[in-house]
Amino acid sequence: MSPPENRRPPYGRLLVHYELRGPMPRTPRPRLRVRQLPPRPPIRPRSATPRPAPASGLGSIRAWYRRVDWGRHATVLAAVVAAGGLGVTAYGTFVSARVAEDQLNQSKVQNEERTMRQASRVNMWGEGKYEVIANRSLDPAYAWVIMRDGSREYPVVAGTLPPCTRVSIATSNLEEAIIDFVPKPHAKARRHSMSPAALWFVDTDGRAWRRDYQGGGLRPMYEPLKAVYAISNLVAKEEPLDECGAAS
């Protein structure tokens, strides 16, 4: 009898096979016991592996917490917070700029009001044969009466306007100051064509102003008078004003 030969069956189990060669001895035949091997359990594919049932309650929260990529979400949240901070900063800058602009405009208005405080209280109007100049401020001013002849203007010196004083000057007095410098043949015609046009005066700060006749517009003047006419025999009547300090 030859040595046993090992053969591996297709299912991976080791079987022992005895092969008898040559003449059989006269000894009794050995008895072979045949034993049936149990079947190999089938291999289940991975897809058929049952998945665990989804957890509920606290277990589901833990599972969700483990699945979330917190690093990426933290980066996105930081970017959103940074963008929000930039937006708030931009809005604050815009509001600050608007407030500064409003304050600047208000300061300009206050400066203009402060500058015009005295000038707004000096006025001129006509009463019959007289031209009335009123200075309701608490400071004196120096004035000229602008007489107009067609398109030409003649500044006539009215002199100092005392504080809280009303000064009345005859219109004929203002006309004579100009006619003295007009050739004699044209003097009579010029007398009937002249009329008051405005009041030019300088406040205590040295600023020049022009007030249109009959309480008209008030505006600052930046160019000096080129030529002025003085009244040789000025007759002016001064009267105190009751409402001193009030704008006219």
Side-chain angles (χ1 to χ4, degrees), residues 61-198:
I61 297 177
R62 291 177 178 176
W64 170 82
Y65 181 83
R66 294 171 181 173
R67 290 196 306 268
V68 173
D69 187 357
W70 291 106
R72 181 177 61 183
H73 288 283
T75 303
V76 174
L77 181 61
V80 172
V81 171
L86 292 176
V88 172
T89 303
Y91 180 75
T93 304
F94 173 75
V95 172
S96 301
R98 290 293 300 273
V99 171
E101 183 179 359
D102 294 340
Q103 291 178 350
L104 180 61
N105 294 336
Q106 185 178 1
S107 177
K108 289 182 179 179
V109 172
Q110 291 177 353
N111 291 336
E112 291 178 358
E113 291 178 353
R114 190 180 303 109
T115 301
M116 297 177 61
R117 183 173 300 172
Q118 181 186 2
S120 62
R121 296 171 182 173
V122 179
N123 205 346
M124 176 184 175
W125 67 90
E127 290 183 359
K129 297 181 180 181
Y130 293 89
E131 305 303 328
V132 180
I133 305 174
N135 180 15
R136 298 181 184 277
S137 69
L138 300 177
D139 299 308
Y142 197 86
W144 295 263
V145 177
I146 307 299
M147 301 294 291
R148 180 176 294 166
D149 179 13
S151 60
R152 186 175 181 181
E153 294 183 345
Y154 302 89
V156 181
V157 177
T160 302
L161 304 176
C164 303
T165 304
R166 164 189 168 121
V167 179
S168 300
I169 304 175
T171 306
S172 59
N173 227 185
L174 298 172
E175 294 174 350
E176 290 173 0
I178 302 171
I179 291 176
D180 291 342
F181 298 91
V182 176
K184 297 299 181 182
H186 305 285
K188 186 176 181 180
R190 289 290 179 87
R191 181 184 294 274
H192 296 287
S193 62
M194 290 183 185
S195 61

